[in-house]
Amino acid sequence: MPALTLSQREILDAAAQLFRENGFPGTNIKMIGQKLNLTSAALYYHFPTKDSILKTVMTDGIEQVGNAVRNAMASVDQEPRNYFRIRAGLRAHVVASLKYQDYVTVVLQEMRYLSAHSYQEVVRVRDNYEEIWRQELAIGQAEGLIRTDVDIHLLRLLGFGAMNWVPIWYRPNYSLTPDAIADGFVNFMVKGVVSEPFRKWADNLN
């Protein structure tokens, strides 16, 4: 996606907040303009339709999170590299999702309101991001980091389900910071929550 102008960024920030608070059907162009002290004509200069604003909010939100994850993974220089890349990526996803909370929440809750063409574009951007995780988890399993009996497709779906729900319930006055939530999530995913004695017991239940 081409770089956004400052005006476009301001419009998207305002629209994302309003879409999150009121839903897409409950937000009109006039409301976005009033929030920015802009006329509807000025908004249409930057975005031809309300659907195009929604689509750009979503694609930009996904790309912001994706770029944070890519940068976090690329900065890893510890071995085993795949383990630390996954760990860094999980943490970056959670932190970035809260940094761009309005955008991510809109992605999760307003997809059904996209036009058919816009929906396809958002899915394309989403799939490009998720490909990062498909590759990393496959490498992890091939290198022995992830057990061979683990369905990595299911693991990815469950992981995204847990990570993506955080922006829905998180509030600024929550007792934990975004960093603390991210660290907690990573520890749950990597270390599990069952103590070692019970883990050995559970392994024998089959």
Side-chain angles (χ1 to χ4, degrees):
M1 185 174 68
L4 297 170
T5 65
L6 178 60
S7 296
Q8 288 172 328
R9 170 59 63 201
E10 290 173 342
I11 292 169
L12 293 182
D13 286 347
Q17 183 180 351
L18 289 170
F19 291 156
R20 179 190 175 197
E21 293 174 350
N22 306 309
F24 180 74
T27 302
N28 57 45
I29 289 292
K30 184 177 180 180
M31 292 166 65
I32 299 172
Q34 287 175 337
K35 192 171 182 64
L36 297 169
N37 197 28
L38 293 175
T39 65
S40 296
L43 291 178
Y44 284 128
Y45 173 80
H46 295 284
F47 296 97
T49 63
K50 192 172 74 158
D51 175 72
S52 67
I53 297 176
L54 180 64
K55 180 196 72 172
T56 310
V57 165
M58 291 186 177
T59 55
D60 186 68
I62 295 168
E63 288 177 347
Q64 294 285 1
V65 174
N67 288 338
V69 169
R70 292 183 184 92
N71 291 337
M73 288 183 171
S75 68
V76 168
D77 58 5
Q78 294 170 275
E79 296 290 346
R81 187 175 296 270
N82 178 252
Y83 166 79
F84 285 106
R85 280 174 61 86
I86 291 175
R87 188 178 178 92
L90 290 172
R91 190 177 190 282
H93 181 106
V94 174
V95 171
S97 292
L98 292 179
K99 181 177 180 180
Y100 302 103
Q101 189 174 13
D102 288 340
Y103 287 74
V104 174
T105 301
V106 172
V107 174
L108 298 173
Q109 296 187 328
E110 306 297 315
M111 286 276 287
R112 64 189 181 277
Y113 298 116
L114 288 166
S115 67
H117 180 268
S118 293
Y119 183 88
Q120 292 176 351
E121 176 64 14
V122 172
V123 169
R124 182 190 65 79
V125 175
R126 183 196 65 191
D127 288 350
N128 285 343
Y129 170 54
E130 291 186 0
E131 182 61 27
I132 301 171
W133 290 104
R134 279 190 282 268
Q135 292 180 11
E136 287 297 329
L137 294 176
I139 292 170
Q141 193 165 55
E143 293 182 351
L145 174 66
I146 299 171
R147 298 196 320 266
T148 56
D149 64 325
V150 171
D151 182 334
I152 57 174
H153 174 69
L154 180 60
L155 175 63
R156 180 173 58 81
L157 293 178
L158 292 173
F160 269 113
M163 288 192 296
N164 287 340
W165 198 248
V166 176
I168 304 297
W169 56 256
Y170 179 80
R171 296 294 180 270
N173 61 351
Y174 189 67
S175 58
L176 296 176
T177 65
D179 285 335
I181 294 170
D183 289 339
F185 177 77
V186 169
N187 284 331
F188 295 156
M189 289 292 290
V190 173
K191 297 180 181 179
V193 298
V194 178
S195 65
E196 190 63 31
F198 279 93
R199 190 178 306 160
K200 293 177 179 178
W201 172 78
D203 287 341
N204 293 324
L205 288 181
N206 296 333

